[in-house]
Amino acid sequence: MNSRITDLLGITYPIIQGGMAWVAEANLASAVSNAGGLGIVAAGGASAEVVRGQIIRAKEATDKPFGVNIMLMNPDADAIAKMLVEEGVKVVTTGAGSPEKYMKMWKEAGIKVIPVIASVALAKRMERCGADAVVAEGCEAGGHIGESTTMTLVPQVVDAVKIPVIAAGGIADGRGMAAACMLGASGIQMGTAFIVTDECVVHENYKQCILKAKDIDTRVTGRTNGHPVRGIRNEQTRQYLKLEAEGADFMELERLTLGGLRRAVVDGDVKTGSVMSGQIAGMVNETCTCKEFIERMMREYQEVVEGGLAYVR
Ligand code: TUI
């Protein structure tokens, strides 16, 4: 399937794996790229040298293009931004901020830059400063989220920019992919669905949380302090939301989540850890390899598109 995104990135299918901190390491990224999508190594909160190690491992595991995601709140973001140029990384996605100050350096190095955005205003700013595409991420997504849903954000971003738009948030099957394309997207990004693949190295408890989750099992914490984060409801989200409702101060809330993602992903503490996940977890019910998953996505997509209106009846 050809689209502006497959052409831009030199990949077979317009499917990008989300840059999930602690989760998206070399093993997952290379498996997604080997399956014809774009795998992403996520820097998360790691140092430039740790991320470099993951990039080297990904290069060993695939000869296909892969990307790196920089979470811009990372205090080591400047060093990571430079290291990506040294390592000859082909594609960079960014999250939780604006990558404007790195744009010139990355473009001069021939890097394809794809910021993740959650508003029309930021999408336009990113296009003006040279982004090759944007990921428009709706608040169905897991982790740090914006205000708008995928259904409302994607068409508004598509109308506002000329660069290709990749839809994210709430997609985990061929129907979702077809729907995103109907809204004008040239590709999709998925996170939650990739967490349960065989090649994803998260703790088994984390996978089980997503596999068992029902449609209404995620919660958004941090709305009151400007850091909304979506994850599977557990003891931590219950406590956090209770304290938030009581007007607790930011530092008290921070104590609950500090190191929480690592605790959930690495140690399997899914009670007090942060089990970040999108709302689509309720539909993510089985494990398989990345290749099987991507091939199923494309098969389902084809069925929906070829079935046309007959599908909905
Ligand atoms: O970045 C994400 N999702 C994330 S980052 C993350 S790391 C984290 N760990 C622990 C606690 C909190 C976060 C987990 N999930 N998605 C992409 C995304 N970016 N969504 C929304 C945005 C965004 C928000 C505001 C991008 C830019 C922005 O403002 C930029 C500006 O300067 O105007």
Side-chain angles (χ1 to χ4, degrees), residues 71 73 95-98 116 118 122 125 137 143-146 229 276:
M71 203 274 287
M73 292 189 297
S98 166
V116 179
L122 194 58
R125 234 166 81 200
E137 186 183 89
H144 179 74
I145 52 171
V229 170
M276 293 185 192

Side-chain angles (χ1 to χ4, degrees), residues 81-146:
K82 282 201 203 98
M83 178 274 293
L84 299 181
V85 175
E86 291 161 16
E87 289 299 327
V89 167
K90 301 282 189 298
V91 185
V92 172
T93 68
T94 64
S98 166
E100 261 150 312
K101 67 172 170 172
Y102 308 125
M103 220 60 172
K104 185 166 173 287
M105 172 174 71
W106 287 342
K107 294 315 301 172
E108 281 173 7
I111 296 175
K112 302 278 190 284
V113 184
I114 310 183
V116 179
I117 53 89
S119 70
V120 166
L122 194 58
K124 284 170 141 172
R125 234 166 81 200
M126 293 300 99
E127 179 177 53
R128 269 201 305 277
C129 73
D132 295 277
V134 288
V135 174
E137 186 183 89
C139 60
E140 297 94 320
H144 179 74
I145 52 171

